Amino acid sequence: MPASAPHSTPREPGLRLLLGVLTIIAVTSVASEFSARPGTKPDWQVWYEELAFLPLQLGSLFALLRASGRLDLPHGTRRALRFIGLGFGAIAVGTVVWATLKLSGYQMRYVSWVDPIYFTFYPLAIAGLFSLPRIPGSEHRWRALLSWSVVL
């Protein structure tokens, strides 16, 4: 199987469309976030800001799960992709719960009982990183742990 060029865009039309849609969502979400003061935004904008990243989270989940099904990848890599994908799934569940409660009028605090749903991303991501196959001859486990802690 030929290696793809670094930083290349997806070749499948569906993935290319998805990449474009997710980029538009990310850019418009950032623009919406800083366009007005929190108390002055219309309802549609509040809804958009609460749910804007849900497609990105679900897109990450499905892309990682799809990639984990590739049989040409090592078993550890496939397992790592599944763990990290499930972490994005946890973030998506947290987003849905948070947005549902907030948009239904429930007064949400920024430290709430919904936070543990979001926090499940971290153990799943760490499990995914530990599942990645090691490079033969690399015995610097502590150096790798330090690098991973910086990333997380």
Side-chain angles (χ1 to χ4, degrees):
M1 183 172 114
S4 62
H7 307 292
S8 65
T9 57
R11 292 191 178 133
E12 296 179 36
L15 292 177
R16 205 174 258 197
L17 176 66
L18 179 64
L19 178 63
V21 168
L22 294 178
T23 302
I24 290 169
I25 289 170
V27 170
T28 56
S29 177
V30 170
S32 174
E33 187 71 32
F34 297 106
S35 67
R37 290 194 329 247
T40 63
K41 295 180 181 180
D43 288 342
W44 70 266
Q45 194 171 5
V46 173
W47 277 77
Y48 179 76
E49 288 177 5
E50 290 302 322
L51 297 171
F53 283 100
L54 184 61
L56 296 169
Q57 296 155 356
L58 292 174
S60 298
L61 165 67
F62 293 125
L64 288 164
L65 291 180
R66 182 175 180 217
S68 73
R70 291 183 49 179
L71 297 177
D72 60 333
L73 293 174
H75 177 69
T77 301
R78 293 193 335 252
R79 185 175 54 235
L81 293 173
R82 274 188 233 111
F83 275 127
I84 296 169
L86 290 173
F88 279 103
I91 291 174
V93 168
T95 297
V96 168
V97 171
W98 174 271
T100 301
L101 291 172
K102 188 171 181 185
L103 296 173
S104 66
Y106 186 78
Q107 188 65 28
M108 296 298 292
R109 298 179 182 190
Y110 280 104
V111 175
S112 74
W113 62 270
V114 180
D115 291 339
I117 299 172
Y118 285 108
F119 293 153
T120 57
F121 169 81
Y122 294 104
L124 289 166
I126 290 169
L129 291 174
F130 277 114
S131 296
L132 288 169
R134 288 191 198 159
I135 298 171
S138 88
E139 299 301 325
H140 303 287
R141 187 109 172 117
W142 287 108
R143 189 177 294 175
L145 287 173
L146 180 61
S147 296
W148 289 342
S149 67
V150 169
V151 169
L152 293 175

